[in-house]
Amino acid sequence: MTSCIAASIDEGLILVSDSRTNAGIDNVSTHGKMHAFDTNSDRKIILLCAGNVATTQAVLEQLHRDKIKNAPVNFNTVESLFEAAAYLGHVSVEKQKQHSNSQGKSAFNASASFVLAGQIGTDPHGAYMVYAEGNTITSSAHTPFLQIGESKYGKPIVDRFLKLNSSLEEASRCCLVSMDSTIRSNASVGAPVEMLIYRKNSFSLEEYYCFDDDDDDYMWQLRRSWETKLREAMAALPSLNKETIKPMRIDL
Amino acid sequence: MTSCIAASIDEGLILVSDSRTNAGIDNVSTHGKMHAFDTNSDRKIILLCAGNVATTQAVLEQLHRDKIKNAPVNFNTVESLFEAAAYLGHVSVEKQKQHSNSQGKSAFNASASFVLAGQIGTDPHGAYMVYAEGNTITSSAHTPFLQIGESKYGKPIVDRFLKLNSSLEEASRCCLVSMDSTIRSNASVGAPVEMLIYRKNSFSLEEYYCFDDDDDDYMWQLRRSWETKLREAMAALPSLNKETIKPMRIDL
């Protein structure tokens, strides 16, 4: 499995991804899912990948080759993030089709999904989710984040605290806590955790972190701080009011 | 959808269920999913239900009729919770089969799952999950809870804090916070929220709460307390150490 979060907020972007892949519970590996492209200086494009690893690698390879061969459409020619996402969706569907009729186990699933994020020219920064079907959505003012892969365990915390006007620092911690909750509840999501903080209009990918394992200093401090405070929060919850006890229907 | 949690801990049982049902997003209703049986005084048996409402109602009706007609196997004759769960599984599979070949939409899904909890005779209290296939599992010392329906949003908090030696009061608040997170993230889970606290060996179902809507006093206090403390927890997280910034691979 995979878990990736992309926050697109006023100050810029936060991209967080795990690195665990598996082809069955007995075949677990580590592959980074965050990829940056060496494009012209007027743009930065980063992908987060989920789904079939062979498909995502084939897609990345095609995008790379289109770019270095100056294909009519490539990441250096697209004029907007929307156009970049549509192009990615087209390539993704092609690659999925190539293997979907292969002879093999009926459980075989070539599907893959992506988040494409970055900034092009004078357009604002942004992020697009590219579904397995090749169609795309972007984030919005009320839901300034996108998730691919295992999303549910980590969603309540970003639902509560990730806002358009959060600072990049707050948002980065919120996304890391969300990822940590996911890692804790789903064994198929795991370290290293990569995080990129992109400040709008900077066209710089310099604020990149990679938390190598569960014992990473910062992640350990983050987890301990969060757990301690959560324990206090749990202890501070109001007691039940026994006067509100009602008779239970014994209905059967 | 549905979300039900059953905690089986040293001091007894906590059962929590939502009440929203839907047959499509445009067909939402309210049906309680927690049902208590009027059995002999040596036992208490409570069910939590998820899945197709027609199936769960047919199952409840059959269990009820078996009991009042003194069928060879019914909730008054079973000698253990395991036996009760196996009997429930058998009835559930029969009822699912009745409609699985019906003419109708291909998307029709008659499946249902249950949690059966309670105490029988001198056996300890306990809880069993009954899958749609009729097989069952019980909780354990390391995972002293079961969930049916929408489980992921609310799982991190019970994973962290629900322990075998939690008090019933702590456990009840933990389950309610978990339910509140689920309600917040999944529109198909909703109030009223029912909660039963069963103290071991009491054979009493008197500690029953029903939080009628989102504006219920206690749930509102619980939510506000939790959010306030969570906000403090978020603010107290350690800052990123910029010295750990690494160069990002621009690999494509």
Side-chain angles (χ1 to χ4, degrees), chain A residues 1 32 34-39 44 46 60-61 64 67 150-157 159-161 163 169-170 172-174 176-177 180-182 184-186 194-197 199 205-212 216 218 221-223 225-227 229-252, chain B residues 1 32 34-39 44 46 60-61 64 67 150-157 159-161 163 169-170 172-174 176-177 180-182 184-186 194-197 199 205-212 216 218 221-223 225-227 229-252:
Chain A
M1 198 91 187
M34 186 185 298
H35 298 278
F37 285 78
D38 182 22
T39 53
K44 291 294 173 192
I46 308 101
L60 294 174
E61 172 70 14
H64 176 62
K67 182 171 61 68
E150 172 61 76
S151 61
K152 289 190 173 185
Y153 296 118
K155 187 163 176 283
I157 198 71
D159 270 342
R160 280 186 206 268
F161 293 112
K163 305 294 174 200
E169 285 67 28
E170 288 164 356
S172 64
R173 292 192 287 265
C174 182
L176 287 177
V177 167
D180 192 52
S181 294
T182 306
R184 197 181 172 101
S185 288
N186 185 332
E194 295 180 86
M195 179 168 73
L196 177 69
I197 301 177
R199 292 179 195 274
L205 305 182
E206 280 178 12
E207 279 185 66
Y208 169 82
Y209 296 84
C210 183
F211 309 104
D212 281 329
D216 173 274
Y218 179 72
Q221 286 172 36
L222 185 90
R223 190 177 303 127
S225 169
W226 185 246
E227 286 228 357
K229 290 287 179 184
L230 238 56
R231 200 169 298 282
E232 290 172 21
M234 195 56 77
L237 289 172
S239 294
L240 283 159
N241 177 357
K242 293 214 174 184
E243 288 174 14
T244 65
I245 282 180
K246 296 176 185 172
M248 187 178 193
R249 296 180 318 281
I250 311 295
D251 52 356
L252 292 164
Chain B
M1 198 90 188
M34 186 184 296
H35 299 278
F37 284 79
D38 182 22
T39 53
K44 291 294 173 192
I46 308 103
L60 294 174
E61 173 68 15
H64 177 62
K67 180 170 63 68
E150 172 63 76
S151 61
K152 288 189 173 186
Y153 296 119
K155 188 164 176 281
I157 198 71
D159 270 341
R160 281 186 205 266
F161 293 112
K163 305 293 174 200
E169 285 66 27
E170 287 164 356
S172 64
R173 293 192 288 265
C174 182
L176 287 177
V177 167
D180 191 53
S181 294
T182 306
R184 196 180 173 103
S185 287
N186 186 334
E194 296 180 86
M195 179 168 73
L196 177 69
I197 301 177
R199 290 179 197 274
L205 306 183
E206 280 177 15
E207 279 185 67
Y208 169 82
Y209 296 85
C210 184
F211 308 105
D212 280 330
D216 174 274
Y218 179 71
Q221 286 172 34
L222 185 90
R223 191 177 301 126
S225 169
W226 185 246
E227 287 228 357
K229 291 288 181 183
L230 237 54
R231 201 170 298 282
E232 291 171 20
M234 196 55 78
L237 289 172
S239 295
L240 284 158
N241 178 358
K242 294 215 174 185
E243 288 174 14
T244 64
I245 283 179
K246 295 176 185 172
M248 186 177 192
R249 294 180 319 280
I250 311 295
D251 53 354
L252 292 163

Side-chain angles (χ1 to χ4, degrees), chain A residues 2-5 48-50 113-115 129 146-151:
Chain A
T2 286
S3 183
C4 300
I5 314 166
L48 305 176
C49 310
S113 56
F114 300 84
V115 167
M129 177 148 73
L146 300 166
Q147 294 175 288
I148 53 174
E150 172 61 76
S151 61

Side-chain angles (χ1 to χ4, degrees), chain A residues 104-118:
Chain A
K105 289 183 186 170
S106 60
F108 174 73
N109 183 350
S111 74
S113 56
F114 300 84
V115 167
L116 180 145

Side-chain angles (χ1 to χ4, degrees), chain A residues 46-77:
Chain A
I46 308 101
L47 294 195
L48 305 176
C49 310
N52 185 292
V53 179
T55 299
T56 60
Q57 288 188 354
V59 169
L60 294 174
E61 172 70 14
Q62 182 71 52
L63 299 172
H64 176 62
R65 295 194 74 74
D66 284 354
K67 182 171 61 68
I68 60 174
K69 297 206 165 209
N70 287 316
V73 180
N74 70 68
F75 275 166
N76 278 329
T77 67

